[in-house]
Amino acid sequence: MTQTTSPPPAGRTSARRPRIHPAWWVAAVAFVTIVGAAAFTAAPGLLVGPLHDEFGWSRGTIGVGITLQLALYGLTAPFAAALMDRFGIRPVVAVALTMITLGSLGTVWMSQSWQFVLGWGVLVGGGSGCMALAFGATITTRWFDKRQGLVSGLLTAGGASGQLIFLPVLAILIGEYGWRAASVTIALVAAAVIPFVLLLLRDYPADLGLTPYGASQIVPRPAPATGAALRTVRVLGMVMRTKAFWLLAGAFAICGITTNGLIRTHFIPAAHDHGMAPVAAASLLAVIGIFDVVGTIFSGWLTDRFNPVVLLGFYYSLRGISLIFLPMLLSSEVHLPMVFFIVFYGLDWVATVPPTLALCREIWPEDAPIVFGWVLASHQVGAGLVAWMGGVVRDVTGSYDLVWYAAGALCAAAALMSLVMPRSPVTEKQMTPA
């Protein structure tokens, strides 16, 4: 109470405290930003056909841009949190949204495939990566002392669902006005979010003289962190010497292969190969996004009560079985077995995130957020590789069937990798060579 920056007495703090804690407004802006950023990365699945028809580019060529976008979405995440510690949340997110605006808008005038790689791969991929799960984890940690599980679950679900819920809207735009209309719309939406970020996002509750939600004391704003990026790389070098990291990152890479890389990117063109209209296929992916919210929250509830490695083994096994049956379900019309597949895949889409994050906290308690950032990077690198390879297989064989079967086999490997994972805690001292 003797310091000039001390909070007011308890009674006065209570009287001045707004009915809705600003943490929820910050979380709401973060949710909208994450949903939007994820939606921006969803469009390439709809662009494969139109770009192929207009420019004559092969699906493999188009896949290079999509691969780079997905890879940067993951590789940027570990460093984005370090940038937010150094420069603040608002400038980093505002710059990221500006990158998405420029990247998406720039594709309207492109004529060469390298321009697609630069605009959608580099600018949209790097910008959206700054608003991946690391951004949600930063908001949750700084602004909430209680309800962290609920908020992190909602923000995680928002990231995956945003990729899918916007697909029918973009599909209709492309069908009615062409692919450029979708690119312009994405650019305008990204630009429209920037003012809300600048006005409503704050770095810490202490900036407003408030406690984090559920806390009893104000947490002082820390000094800007320096050397955070170097520590991010150093932690990667240490955890790469542990068996658990390779098993966890390998399994999560397969998770990325079978979600963002495969279903999100290639489901619509694969369904179109069987005569299904793009809008209908995009609507099915939107249903995945809706059920993803339920599945993610329920998976978090299960993770608090059951062994996370068993949950991962269960999730990957069921996902692999469903992918093997998918080629038999694709047709020109939506039928009941396909609806069942879509609902199941929605429940399982990012159900792997809560147990994967729990294992990071359990095995690497000192560096869990950074380790999870690198595990997430493996997820996106895997997604990027199959986004390209899936297109190449379709170009060579004329069908996606081989891709579905291979993905099912990989899920079996991910289940086994999860079940044999060592769970003993590892500290930095143990990982540092003598």
Side-chain angles (χ1 to χ4, degrees), residues 36 189 204 223 226 290 331 357 385 417:
V189 170
Y204 294 92
T226 58
I290 293 171
S331 68
L357 181 56
L385 286 175
M417 293 163 68

Side-chain angles (χ1 to χ4, degrees), residues 140 144-156 296-297 300 304 354 361:
T140 303
F144 291 85
D145 184 66
K146 294 183 178 179
R147 310 295 187 193
Q148 286 188 345
L150 173 63
V151 175
S152 62
L154 290 173
L155 295 181
T156 299
T296 305
I297 296 174
D304 289 336
R361 291 170 177 160

Side-chain angles (χ1 to χ4, degrees), residues 247-248 251-252 254-255 258 299 302-303 306-322 344 348 351-356 359 407-421 423:
L247 291 173
L248 191 62
F252 212 47
I254 293 173
C255 178
T258 52
S299 178
L302 290 175
T303 302
F306 298 98
N307 188 333
V309 299
V310 174
L311 290 176
L312 287 175
F314 183 70
Y315 295 156
Y316 286 127
S317 297
L318 291 181
R319 185 182 297 183
I321 294 172
S322 67
F344 167 78
D348 188 68
T352 54
V353 171
T356 299
L359 286 171
L410 286 175
C411 284
L416 180 61
M417 293 163 68
S418 301
L419 292 172
V420 300
M421 190 178 308
R423 298 175 57 190

Side-chain angles (χ1 to χ4, degrees), residues 390-403:
V392 171
V393 171
R394 170 61 177 80
D395 289 335
V396 173
T397 67
S399 169
Y400 282 103
D401 288 358
L402 182 61
V403 180

Side-chain angles (χ1 to χ4, degrees), residues 34-201:
I34 290 172
V35 169
F40 308 145
T41 66
L46 294 168
L47 298 179
V48 173
L51 293 179
H52 172 74
D53 294 339
E54 179 171 336
F55 297 107
W57 301 338
S58 70
R59 288 172 172 81
T61 298
I62 299 170
V64 172
I66 300 175
T67 293
L68 187 57
Q69 174 225 313
L70 290 170
L72 285 179
Y73 181 84
L75 291 172
T76 305
F79 297 97
L83 290 174
M84 291 177 189
D85 287 340
R86 179 66 180 87
F87 299 105
I89 295 176
R90 283 186 294 175
V92 173
V93 175
V95 169
L97 288 168
T98 302
M99 290 173 59
I100 292 172
T101 301
L102 296 175
S104 182
L105 193 60
T107 60
V108 173
W109 296 282
M110 69 182 177
S111 59
Q112 303 294 324
S113 59
W114 69 265
Q115 295 167 335
F116 175 74
V117 173
L118 174 62
W120 215 275
V122 177
L123 293 178
V124 174
S128 58
C130 291
M131 294 170 286
L133 293 178
F135 170 52
T138 300
I139 294 294
T140 303
T141 302
R142 293 184 182 182
W143 280 89
F144 291 85
D145 184 66
K146 294 183 178 179
R147 310 295 187 193
Q148 286 188 345
L150 173 63
V151 175
S152 62
L154 290 173
L155 295 181
T156 299
S161 300
Q163 299 173 5
L164 307 172
I165 293 175
F166 278 78
L167 280 172
V169 177
L170 297 176
I172 292 172
L173 284 174
I174 292 174
E176 293 291 331
Y177 306 105
W179 65 267
R180 288 177 176 83
S183 292
V184 171
T185 300
I186 290 171
L188 293 177
V189 170
V193 176
I194 295 176
F196 293 96
V197 169
L198 295 176
L199 290 173
L200 298 178
L201 274 187

